[in-house]
Amino acid sequence: MTPTRAVQSFINAKKEGIDVPTSTLETIRNFRKWREPELIGLRNASSYYPDIYIEKGMEEEITRLLTIVKNRNVAHKF
């Protein structure tokens, strides 16, 4: 399952009031391997569904990963 699909599946399950599928939870647990847009999407989804942070310290880890990505980007001079 893709990270984007996992976040959407989590949101859909919460809206419908059903249990979140195991495959969705497994994908979310692998957030450390996600790219920047997916991490931003996960962080944005947490504003509406804070229980998407299924691990302790997940928010801080996402912030740390995004900082690393930001520091890797090099400004271009034109």
Side-chain angles (χ1 to χ4, degrees), residues 3-4 7 34-44 66 69:
T4 304
V7 170
W34 294 8
R35 297 178 318 198
E36 180 184 19
E38 287 87 4
L39 288 171
I40 292 171
L42 179 61
R43 188 175 60 184
N44 291 344
L66 288 173
V69 170

Side-chain angles (χ1 to χ4, degrees), residues 39-77:
L39 288 171
I40 292 171
L42 179 61
R43 188 175 60 184
N44 291 344
S46 73
S47 298
Y48 299 98
Y49 300 97
D51 52 338
I52 198 166
Y53 291 148
I54 55 178
E55 294 179 6
K56 186 174 182 173
M58 201 168 162
E59 184 174 10
E60 293 81 13
E61 182 67 12
I62 290 170
T63 302
R64 186 186 73 77
L65 292 170
L66 288 173
T67 303
I68 290 170
V69 170
K70 182 180 177 185
N71 290 338
R72 270 192 262 161
N73 292 338
V74 178
H76 298 312
K77 290 186 176 181

